[in-house]
Amino acid sequence: MLVSNSSTNRSVTVTYQGVSQYDKPANELKSATTEKLMQYTTGDRLKFTGTSGIYNTIVTDMPNQSKTITFSFVACTDTDGNNYPVILIGTQTWMVENLKTTKYNDGILIPNLTDNAGWMSLTTGAYCWYDNSITNKAKYGALYNWFAVSTEKLAPIGWHVPTDAEWITLIDYLGGENVAGGKLKESGTEHWNSPNTSATNESGFTALSSGYRGILDGKFYDLGRYEHWWSSNSFDANTAWLRTLIFSGSNIYRYDLFSKSRGLSVRCVKD
């Protein structure tokens, strides 16, 4: 049975591997009952995506009996109007995509720096797309220097760039640094180089390898090999704490050695 608690749109749909299985028009009961076979093996972790209007919530589960799965829809919309799917992991609600806003949450434009020399010399906030190609926006989001993070205006209202401690909370919940990386990475080799070691995405976080922008030459590196995310915590005058995933391992690494001028991805966590 599917039940929609919405007061404005009561229609319910089941989609299995991208194919619509059942679509029930709105009705006064706001629910529908049917049976659809969705083949899986006991012990498989399933990823469920609930959609309500512009909002998407992801739930992962390993069902072994009949049960109720509840989707709580949370607004996660940046100043550009981009809507992000979200997932609850432990006690934290995270974006399931990298940030791609071109404006701070007060509406001010973030400079888009395409010039290599200009990027290398920046000490103020800026963003770019990997290879300066907007075709990378939808999959990988934007790359921001840490000066954009430090404004505290980069995340959507009601969200923030995670602190180093919040990254630790996530990683500890997923079993520690040695295994959490595999649980965060999207499985397969569509967005990661082979062998994409231990990638299960059992957390539903769906990390894709978006590479980074360097500071010695302003060029782009390692799409498919690495994923780097800023934290909101500075380490010293020149560097900040970040997290890194790698295609060839299950670890997630904590570093303080990247210059604040590098262009890295950003994931946000709910306030």
Side-chain angles (χ1 to χ4, degrees), residues 221-263:
Y221 295 95
D222 289 335
L223 189 71
R225 292 171 55 83
Y226 295 96
E227 173 68 292
H228 307 283
W229 295 288
W230 287 121
S231 82
S232 61
N233 291 109
S234 177
F235 176 73
D236 60 24
N238 299 311
T239 65
W241 289 107
L242 62 127
R243 292 301 186 281
T244 295
L245 302 182
I246 185 170
F247 75 102
S248 58
S250 62
N251 295 59
I252 182 168
Y253 298 94
R254 178 179 184 248
Y255 290 128
D256 60 21
L257 51 77
F258 276 21
S259 166
K260 295 175 179 179
S261 297
R262 288 207 187 199

Side-chain angles (χ1 to χ4, degrees), residues 1-2 13-16 19-23 33-40:
M1 174 177 288
L2 296 176
T13 302
V14 175
T15 302
Y16 175 56
V19 180
S20 181
Q21 298 288 302
Y22 184 72
D23 197 351
T33 302
T34 189
E35 181 177 293
K36 291 295 176 182
L37 298 178
M38 300 182 184
Q39 185 175 357
Y40 71 97

